[in-house]
Amino acid sequence: MPRYEFRCRACGDTFEVNRPMAEAGEPASCPQGHADTVKLLSAVAVTGRGGAGPVGGAPAAAAGGCCGGGCGC
């Protein structure tokens, strides 16, 4: 079941709620009982088989390094 992250505007707490995707947009009360919450946008990291590297399988050095290769690092 997906986990969604919320922040309470009243007390500032951040909390998570497990719920079906069909209920993703529903409001959630914070654990302290406040109703004024906002759903946060969470980043999701998805890796392939064992973190094989960038899409296409090229190693990081061949893909331009940390900044695309423009600075020669």
Side-chain angles (χ1 to χ4, degrees):
M1 187 170 308
R3 183 176 302 188
Y4 300 96
E5 192 172 20
F6 290 83
R7 175 168 291 136
C8 178
R9 292 181 185 180
C11 66
D13 283 350
T14 300
F15 60 97
E16 296 177 343
V17 175
N18 293 327
R19 58 171 56 157
M21 290 178 74
E23 298 174 12
E26 298 293 320
S29 294
C30 88
Q32 307 301 321
H34 305 119
D36 189 12
T37 61
V38 62
K39 184 177 164 193
L40 301 177
L41 179 61
S42 300
V44 176
V46 178
T47 60
R49 300 180 324 213
V55 176
C66 65
C67 60
C71 67
C73 56

